């Protein structure tokens, strides 16, 4: 079972990973965007970590919803509302259970990913975070490590894609040949999840 502390540790691990990889994310965004993805997420997840240190939501759903609201209010770029929606909707779908099964979480996460698609209007193959999130959501019911691998492969698969959503789409053909920053950060978040789950029963 996954309890509230599991999700708190996931958010802490995600914040650490975004911190470590901030320069890399910003480099990717400088190639096909405006060079702020690393600093956007660094600011957002630092705020998530801070709010979770002073506030202690009682359930996994409440914790993810709070983290999502925090991202929406602190990240200015497109990625803030999108990641915020992912976490809020996932949290909402978990309801008010004190602990959830991996399968419940996988279903909730899939609802969160679907909400990202609705908000941003992107689909698989548009060279966005969804290219990492969709395969991860599919793999998550079976395994956390499988989800992390699927997200990483999904992010790498954005290299030859032409961007059809977000800032990178303004570049047209010139967006081809670069890995999408948002798909790359999405893979980091799912990797942090797998890391958290690995630490669990070990
Ligand atoms: P901004 O583009 O406003 O500078 P960021 O640099 O923080 O915001 O985030 C850019 C990332 O957001 C992109 O790499 C892409 O993955 C994601 N993104 C942008 N627009 C959309 C969208 N409509 N749907 C899904 N993801 C999107
Ligand atoms: Mg940007």
């Amino acid at each position: 079972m996954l309890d509230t502390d599991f999700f708190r540790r996931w958010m802490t691990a995600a914040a650490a990973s975004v911190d470590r990889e901030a320069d890399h994310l910003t480099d990717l965004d400088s190639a096909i965007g405006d060079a702020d993805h690393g600093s956007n997420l660094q600011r957002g997840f630092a705020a998530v970590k801070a709010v979770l240190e002073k506030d202690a939501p009682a359930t996994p759903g409440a914790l993810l919803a709070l983290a999502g609201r925090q991202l929406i209010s602190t990240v200015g770029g497109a990625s803030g509302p999108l990641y915020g929606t992912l976490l809020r909707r996932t949290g909402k779908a978990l309801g008010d259970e004190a602990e959830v099964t991996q399968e419940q979480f996988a279903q909730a996460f899939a609802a969160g990913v679907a909400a990202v698609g609705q908000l941003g209007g992107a689909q698989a193959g548009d060279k966005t975070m969804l290219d990492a999130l969709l395969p991860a959501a599919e793999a998550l019911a079976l395994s956390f490590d499988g989800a992390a691998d699927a997200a990483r492969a999904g992010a790498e698969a954005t290299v030859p894609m032409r961007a059809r959503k977000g800032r990178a789409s303004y570049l047209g053909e010139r967006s081809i040949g670069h890995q999408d920053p948002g798909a790359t950060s999405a893979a980091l978040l799912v990797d942090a999840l797998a890391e958290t789950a690995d630490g669990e029963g070990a």
Side-chain angles (χ1 to χ4, degrees):
M1 292 296 271
L2 308 171
D3 61 9
T4 308
D5 193 57
F6 172 85
F7 291 96
R8 191 186 52 72
R9 284 185 286 117
W10 173 29
M11 290 297 107
T12 305
S17 175
V18 160
D19 230 14
R20 269 195 311 272
E21 294 294 319
D23 289 349
H24 179 222
L25 295 173
T26 286
D27 283 350
L28 293 174
D29 197 33
S30 72
I32 58 169
D34 58 352
D36 65 356
H37 191 56
S39 50
N40 278 345
L41 290 191
Q42 210 170 17
R43 185 171 62 253
F45 277 93
V48 167
K49 212 178 131 186
V51 79
L52 294 180
E53 274 160 15
K54 68 177 166 49
D55 208 339
T59 62
L63 186 144
L64 292 180
L66 176 64
R69 287 199 300 277
Q70 195 71 356
L71 287 180
I72 291 169
S73 62
T74 53
V75 179
S79 60
L82 292 163
Y83 276 129
T85 294
L86 172 69
L87 297 181
R88 278 182 63 186
R89 186 60 72 90
T90 302
K92 194 175 165 200
L94 289 176
D96 55 10
E97 313 266 358
E99 292 186 331
V100 298
T101 63
Q102 182 172 340
E103 198 182 321
Q104 281 173 314
F105 174 54
Q107 277 179 18
F109 187 78
V113 173
V116 172
Q118 269 156 21
L119 178 65
Q123 294 179 348
D126 286 348
K127 196 180 183 102
T128 71
M129 58 174 70
L130 283 175
D131 290 305
L133 293 173
L134 286 166
E138 205 167 307
L140 193 57
L142 292 176
S143 124
F144 286 108
D145 287 337
D149 290 344
R152 197 175 312 115
E156 285 165 7
T158 63
V159 174
M161 291 175 187
R162 176 186 172 147
R164 283 192 285 258
K165 288 288 168 189
R167 228 174 254 287
S169 67
Y170 309 154
L171 292 178
E173 296 275 314
R174 283 182 295 132
S175 64
I176 293 172
H178 303 278
Q179 187 164 317
D180 180 62
T184 308
S185 59
L188 293 179
L189 299 192
V190 182
D191 196 63
L193 176 67
E195 226 178 81
T196 307
D198 282 346
E200 196 66 339

